[in-house]
Amino acid sequence: MFTLIIIILPIFFQLIFGRKAIAESITLEFGTISMISIILQIALTIIAFLIASNNFEEQLQGQPYRCGMGLIGIFAFSFLFTIILLIVIIVQYFIKRSYEE
């Protein structure tokens, strides 16, 4: 559960700070916010995988590995949330562009 929350955080960051960058209520530009969100998505995916892997090994308690599909699921969710993040960035970009016209 904690790993899924970690993977979703960049989307919330983009939604909140991307809106503020569009309204120009913060000093960071929209492109900077978008790059931070993408880098966070990659970094937090790796961190979530490491946390899940560590939890998986603790649950085995020395037994041989049985199935690692849960770890593959983390990457699948990460891929899904990365696509959602890119869609959010594109929509916010077009909103920003419409405000500038």
Side-chain angles (χ1 to χ4, degrees):
M1 182 70 176
F2 181 67
T3 55
L4 291 178
I5 293 171
I6 290 176
I7 294 173
I8 295 173
L9 284 178
I11 295 173
F12 290 132
F13 177 82
Q14 179 66 37
L15 286 171
I16 293 168
F17 288 100
R19 188 187 65 77
K20 288 183 179 187
I22 291 170
E24 297 179 357
S25 62
I26 58 174
T27 57
L28 291 173
E29 294 181 10
F30 180 73
T32 306
I33 298 291
S34 299
M35 287 305 297
I36 290 171
S37 295
I38 291 171
I39 292 170
L40 273 176
Q41 184 70 38
I42 294 168
L44 292 179
T45 296
I46 294 169
I47 291 170
F49 180 79
L50 292 174
I51 290 171
S53 177
N54 188 26
N55 290 341
F56 183 65
E57 288 176 10
E58 286 178 3
Q59 287 179 353
L60 288 177
Q61 298 173 352
Q63 298 174 358
Y65 281 87
R66 290 201 173 116
C67 178
M69 291 300 287
L71 300 177
I72 294 173
I74 289 174
F75 278 117
F77 275 120
S78 175
F79 182 71
L80 174 70
F81 290 130
T82 302
I83 291 172
I84 293 171
L85 176 65
L86 292 174
I87 291 170
V88 167
I89 290 172
I90 290 169
V91 168
Q92 285 183 340
Y93 172 75
F94 283 119
I95 290 171
K96 180 182 182 302
R97 216 168 94 183
S98 71
Y99 279 143
E100 292 175 352
E101 290 178 355

